[in-house]
Structure formats: structure tokens, C-alpha cells
């Protein structure tokens, strides 16, 4: 769906995006994770033909971008760095104008399309108030409705949950989930790890313009070869599993072991009470911390 | 896309506020003239003003002469300067482009909506000032026709038929639209360069003011014929008998050259520009 090769964008001396090799496959829920300023928005803008790359190639839906961007865009719905709307007009009029601006989409069905999109994002009941009076969350939903007008094959969403409350975030996640199950590929960016963790199946990590990691989340979350054990008598566990306990934190112990079932049987056979037992997996947070160097909004003194 | 731009233009209160302000100026002047009956000396205080006291039907022409030098170009510069930069800073430009609307089509639609605005503004001024003229000054001549004012024609006593007057007004409108398109082209070009609407409008106005100053400066006589505002008032020649075409033709020609060059520059710039805000 999206492939980039050596994609680079410079603004003067800043390298906003640096030799990125992105690969988003059909049906993916791809999460682009990175702190503010790591180049996510710039990357998204290049994918949509808004910003022109300094170097490198982009292919979206099998066509070269920006050369054939006009053929690609009708199948894409996108949200780029916050929603944009005409503040003195109502949400419905805004969507109608945007719908009319694009090619395709029959005039006859326009009202219906706009209503459907508004309904999908939970704005079915909006009145004639101008967008000027909308909350940030409502604007974000309106932007999303704009992205859904043409039932896109590919959604490219830059920070889609900005400005939403926890319930709103959940609703949008459910909506994206539904769209993805209907066959829409979702590519979203976020600086919030939890958000990507909760929704995505594939993750790319940006760090100061570079894509430092790109993997399926399932393989990132591989077992670490350890098991965490909870027991009200941790010293007995330590005595029993002499040398295999790697870490102890109150009543929770980390044991080097591959099979929680076998370990449980061993502990119970020895008469140890086990309150919890689970395979330890790498967390996305740990993966990200390992892959990135330093927070990009830190400004260190030279020397 | 053109329909969308027109909808945006005419759904915006701003459009009507500007048009109302444009209409208010001739109205104010008319009220003062009608109550005091003190005519400006011929040749001063705006073309036609001394003539309208005796014939209200000429007031639309006088109104044009009032709004043209400053008011109309300022409003065109403000709207054209906002055309692209305003969409960029409101964040709507990127959403239009990914709709997708091709950048060339967007620019053409913007230009057409500016023409629509100029026409709307001029027609508003003509209609309101015609009514003002008739109401406040009355029509002196009977159905015989309209006497051209002597300070314009330098031929007193020449009369033209109402149809002739309408035709000359039509020519005036066309000429002013072309002149204002020159202004629009300057501001539209700047609007693709900067993301600040105000900056683009100010830039265009700076060009016009400079041009106005140089037009009156004898030391700048060498470049005078090429200044964008040099022939702005040439539409007055539509009210001579016979119509004096020389300046009208030159003025229109210069505006078309400016239009072609600046729109070309705007187009080239916009097509290769990063939309990064
Ligand atoms: N139009 C621009 N001009 C100059 N620098 C820019 C521009 N846009 C982004 N940058 C720089 O590029 C880097 C990446 O920015 P951005 O893509 O917005 O990151 P993110 O979306 O991950 O927060 C930042 O250092 C930012 O300052
Ligand atoms: Mg961003």
C-alpha cells in the first residue's frame, strides 16, 4: 500500500525525515510512533503530495508519488496535523463544500454521504452552529468525517485522537477497528505509545527523522524467556529455584524459565502458594526505549 | 471547484461588508452634495462630481471615480491576498489539495471567484449610486438623452441616449474589472509566496501606492507608461464623444501583460511549493 525508499526531506539545515524505508501492507493497522518533532507529519505530508521530498521515492497504492498523486488521492482519506475547516460555516456545510471540491462522488448522493460520514464519527446530531464554536474534539471528529467521505481504501491519519477525551479516543479506536475489519488499511501516527499499543498490529518508530524500527507488534512482543511469579512467600520461591530468580520486587519475582505451566506445577508440588504466574513479554515501551537514543525535545548543552 | 469557491465567497459575511462599505462612500458623498449643493470646481474632487448636481443619472460614473483610486483596489488586494494564504493558515488548503483538487484548478477557481467579487462589488456600487443619484439629484433631461459633463468631454451640450450611457457604463465595468484583475494578480502571486494574508495584501498595496506616486513624478517619466496604475482612470474616456480609445487600449494591454506574467509566476510557484502548515 505504501512503500518508500530512501525518503528524505530537508528544511534548510534541519533534516526532518531521513532515509526512511517505510512499508505498509494491505490490511495493516500501522502505527507510526515518535515524539514531537521526529518527522511524522512531514512524512505524512510527503505521502500525500503536499510536501515534495528532497530525495527518495514513494509509492502509494502501487503508483509513484507525487507524479501520479491525482490518481491515488481519491482512494485515500487523510487527517494531517489537526483538522481544517472554514470557521464561519457549519460542520455540514464544510463537509458539503469539501465533497463538492473533489472529483467523483455524485452530486445527487452528496447529502447522504455527508450524513453518513457525520454519523460514523458520532456527529449525527450537529446543528447549524459554525465550526468556530466547536470543541477541539468535535473538530477532530469533523476532520475524520471528511476523511471518510469517499470510503477510502487507505486511511492516513496524523495524530487522529488529538484533543479527544478518553471516551472519544475509545470511540475513534472502535471506528477504526470496524473500518479495518471492513478492509481499510489504516496508517496512523501518534506520539502516544499506549495508543499505538492498543490499536496497531504493526509499528514503525521514528527518532529524529529516522525510521529506527519497523516490525509486527506480535514479533516485538516475543516472550523474553522469563516468567513472572507472584507468591506471598517469595523467600521460599527463591530458596526452591536457587539461581534461576533474576529479580525480586516484593512478592513478585522474575524467574528465568520458558514454560509457566511447568514452573507452576513445580512450585505447587513443593507446597508454595502461587497467586499469579505469566510469561514475561517485551513491552512496546521497552522496545521503543531500546530503539531510540534520547528524547528529541531535550536540548543538551554542547561539550 | 469553481462552484465551491463561489459558494465560499458568497457565504462569507465579509464579502457583503466590503460591498456595503464600497456603496457607503458614494452615498455619503451624495448626501453632502445634495444637502449643500456646493459643487466641486470642475476638474477637481473627482470626475463627474460637478455634473451630477444637474443630472443624477451620471452619478454611477461619479461613484466609480470615487471608489476606484483607493477603496476598490484595497478590497481586491485584501481578498486576493487572502485567497491562498488564508486557506493555508486556516489549514483548509491541505484538505482541498488531498480531496484532490489540482493546484492549477484551485488557482483558476480562486481567480474566477475574485472576478466574481469585483463584478459583484461594482454592480452593487452602480445600482446603489444610480438610485442615489436619481433620488437625490433627479434626472434633469427628459427622454432626449443624457448630457455629457463639459469638464469630461470638453464639449458641452453633447448628449447621449440612455442606451448609449448604459453601453458606456458596460465598457467602464469591463475596463475596471481588467484593472482590478491586475491588482488581484499581484496579491494572488504574493499569496502563494507567503502564508500571511495580511503580508500578501500589504505587499500588493505597497506596489500600487509606489506606482501611484511614480505616476505623478516627472523624474520617473521614462517608466510611467509601464506602471500598473498609469491608465487606471482611462475609463473616463468612455464618456467622451467620440470615445477616446487610445488610453483604454493601452491600459487594458498593460493589465493583461501584468496579469499573464504574475499569474504565470503564481502558478509556477504554487505548483512546486511545499504545503507545510
Ligand atoms: N515547514 C517547515 N519548515 C522548517 N522546518 C520544519 C517545517 N516543518 C517541520 N519542520 C521541522 O521538521 C522536524 C519534524 O517536524 P514534524 O514532521 O512536524 O514532526 P512531528 O510530526 O513528528 O512532530 C521538526 O524539527 C520541525 O521543526
Ligand atoms: Mg506532527
Amino acid at each position: 500500500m505504501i512503500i518508500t525508499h530512501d525518503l528524505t526531506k530537508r528544511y534548510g539545515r534541519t533534516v526532518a525525515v531521513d532515509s526512511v524505508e517505510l512499508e505498509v501492507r494491505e490490511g495493516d493497522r500501522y502505527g507510526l510512533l515518535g515524539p514531537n518533532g521526529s518527522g511524522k507529519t512531514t512524512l505524512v505530508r510527503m505521502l500525500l503530495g503536499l510536501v515534495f521530498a528532497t530525495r527518495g521515492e514513494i509509492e502509494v497504492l502501487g503508483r509513484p508519488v507525487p507524479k501520479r498523486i491525482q490518481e491515488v488521492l481519491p482512494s485515500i482519506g487523510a487527517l494531517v496535523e489537526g483538522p481544517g475547516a472554514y470557521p464561519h460555516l457549519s460542520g455540514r456545510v464544510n463537509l458539503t463544500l469539501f465533497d463538492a471540491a473533489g472529483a467523483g462522488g455524485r452530486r445527487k448522493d452528496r447529502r447522504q454521504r455527508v450524513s453518513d460520514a457525520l454519523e460514523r464519527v458520532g456527529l449525527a446530531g450537529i446543528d447549524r452552529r459554525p465550526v468556530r464554536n466547536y470543541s477541539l474534539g468535535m473538530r477532530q471528529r469533523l476532520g475524520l468525517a471528511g476523511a471518510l467521505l469517499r470510503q477510502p481504501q487507505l486511511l492516513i491519519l496524523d495524530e487522529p485522537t488529538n484533543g479527544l477525551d478518553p471516551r472519544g479516543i475509545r470511540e475513534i479506536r472502535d471506528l477504526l477497528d470496524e473500518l479495518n475489519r471492513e478492509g481499510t488499511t489504516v496508517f496512523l501516527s501518534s506520539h502516544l505509545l499506549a495508543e499505538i499499543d492498543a490499536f496497531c498490529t504493526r509499528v514503525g518508530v521514528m527518532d529524529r527523522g529516522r525510521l529506527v524500527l519497523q516490525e509486527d507488534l506480535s514479533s516485538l512482543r516475543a516472550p523474553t524467556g522469563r516468567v513472572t511469579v507472584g507468591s506471598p512467600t517469595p523467600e521460599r520461591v527463591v530458596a526452591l529455584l536457587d539461581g534461576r530468580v533474576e529479580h525480586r520486587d516484593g512478592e513478585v519475582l522474575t524467574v528465568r524459565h520458558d514454560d509457566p505451566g511447568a514452573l507452576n506445577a513445580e512450585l505447587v508440588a513443593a507446597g508454595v502458594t502461587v497467586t499469579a504466574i505469566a510469561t514475561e513479554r517485551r513491552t512496546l515501551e521497552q522496545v521503543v526505549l531500546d530503539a531510540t537514543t534520547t528524547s528529541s525535545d531535550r536540548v543538551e548543552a554542547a561539550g | 471547484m469553481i462552484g465551491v469557491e463561489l459558494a465560499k465567497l458568497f457565504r462569507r459575511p465579509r464579502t457583503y461588508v466590503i460591498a456595503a462599505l464600497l456603496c457607503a462612500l458614494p452615498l455619503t458623498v451624495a448626501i453632502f452634495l445634495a444637502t449643500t449643493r456646493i459643487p466641486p470646481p470642475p476638474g477637481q474632487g473627482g470626475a463627474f462630481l460637478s455634473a451630477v448636481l444637474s443630472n443624477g443619472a451620471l452619478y454611477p460614473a461619479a461613484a466609480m471615480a470615487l471608489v476606484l483610486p483607493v477603496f476598490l483596489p484595497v478590497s481586491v488586494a485584501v481578498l486576493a491576498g487572502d485567497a491562498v494564504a488564508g486557506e493555508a493558515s486556516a489549514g483548509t488548503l491541505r484538505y482541498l489539495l488531498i480531496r484532490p483538487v489540482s493546484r492549477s484548478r484551485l488557482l483558476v477557481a480562486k481567480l474566477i471567484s475574485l472576478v466574481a467579487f469585483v463584478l459583484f462589488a461594482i454592480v452593487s456600487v452602480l445600482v446603489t449610486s444610480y438610485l442615489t443619484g436619481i433620488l437625490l439629484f433627479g434626472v434633469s433631461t427628459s427622454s432626449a438623452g443624457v448630457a455629457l459633463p463639459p469638464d469630461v468631454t470638453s464639449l458641452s451640450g453633447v448628449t447621449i441616449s440612455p442606451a448609449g450611457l448604459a453601453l458606456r457604463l458596460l465598457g467602464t465595468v469591463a475596463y475596471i474589472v481588467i484593472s482590478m484583475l491586475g491588482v488581484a494578480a499581484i496579491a494572488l502571486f504574493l499569496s502563494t509566496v507567503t502564508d500571511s494574508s495580511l503580508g500578501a495584501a500589504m505587499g500588493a498595496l505597497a506596489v500600487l501606492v509606489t506606482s501611484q506616486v511614480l505616476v505623478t513624478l516627472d523624474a520617473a517619466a521614462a517608466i510611467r507608461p509601464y506602471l500598473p496604475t498609469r491608465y487606471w482612470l482611462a475609463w473616463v474616456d468612455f464618456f467622451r464623444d467620440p470615445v477616446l480609445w487610445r488610453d483604454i487600449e493601452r491600459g487594458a494591454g498593460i493589465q493583461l501583460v501584468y496579469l499573464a506574467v504574475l499569474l504565470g509566476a503564481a502558478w509556477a510557484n504554487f505548483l512546486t511549493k511545499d504545503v507545510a502548515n
Side-chain angles (χ1 to χ4, degrees), chain A residues 40-175:
Chain A
K40 305 182 295 296
T41 300
T42 305
L43 178 57
V44 164
R45 284 179 191 278
M46 285 193 284
L47 298 180
L48 296 171
L50 293 173
V51 157
F52 300 105
T54 309
R55 190 176 74 221
E57 284 127 51
I58 308 173
E59 197 185 299
V60 179
L61 299 171
R63 297 189 187 81
V65 168
K67 207 167 159 202
R68 292 169 68 184
I69 188 75
Q70 297 292 326
E71 297 165 40
V72 179
L73 284 172
S75 318
I76 299 181
L79 204 55
V80 191
E81 188 143 73
Y86 300 103
H88 55 286
L89 300 174
S90 74
R92 209 173 278 276
V93 172
N94 263 286
L95 284 193
T96 307
L97 285 180
F98 279 120
D99 189 81
R106 292 215 313 262
R107 190 193 191 116
K108 205 156 60 78
D109 318 326
R110 187 162 295 147
R111 275 176 87 86
Q112 192 57 43
R113 265 200 307 278
V114 168
S115 294
D116 289 349
L118 285 171
E119 176 143 11
R120 280 216 111 149
V121 299
L123 289 178
I126 52 165
D127 43 28
R128 298 163 59 98
R129 263 194 305 164
V131 170
R132 195 190 307 123
N133 301 344
Y134 282 20
S135 68
L136 187 53
M138 283 173 79
R139 284 175 209 219
Q140 194 76 17
R141 286 173 193 253
L142 186 64
L144 206 54
L148 297 179
L149 276 173
R150 292 288 152 83
Q151 295 175 335
Q153 270 175 272
L154 169 64
L155 274 176
I156 297 184
L157 307 172
D158 186 28
E159 313 259 0
T161 54
N162 247 358
L164 291 171
D165 52 32
R167 174 162 295 275
I169 292 179
R170 182 56 194 265
E171 280 177 35
I172 296 303
R173 191 190 303 148
D174 290 346
L175 169 63

Side-chain angles (χ1 to χ4, degrees), chain B residues 62-189:
Chain B
M64 282 292 108
L66 285 171
V67 297
L68 187 70
V70 182
F71 229 158
L72 194 57
V74 167
S75 41
V76 169
V78 166
L79 284 197
D82 190 51
V84 176
E87 300 258 10
S89 50
T92 44
L93 180 59
R94 56 178 185 263
Y95 289 104
L96 285 177
L97 294 182
I98 64 175
R99 221 44 266 168
V101 179
S102 83
R103 297 186 184 209
S104 316
R105 280 188 53 185
L106 184 65
L107 219 48
V108 170
K110 289 286 180 195
L111 194 69
I112 291 177
S113 109
L114 285 168
V115 175
F117 167 76
V118 174
L119 281 174
F120 174 69
I122 294 178
V123 170
S124 309
V125 171
L126 289 180
V127 169
T128 54
S129 58
Y130 182 73
L131 295 178
T132 314
I134 300 282
L135 285 176
L136 294 182
F137 306 113
V139 190
S140 62
T141 44
S142 55
S143 56
V146 181
L148 286 177
D151 59 329
V152 175
T153 58
S154 67
L155 275 169
S156 57
V158 175
T159 58
I160 49 176
S161 63
L165 180 66
L167 216 58
R168 284 162 200 246
L169 275 177
L170 213 61
T172 304
V173 171
Y175 186 80
I176 291 177
V177 168
I178 291 179
S179 304
M180 289 304 110
L181 271 181
V183 178
I186 299 173
L188 195 59
F189 166 66

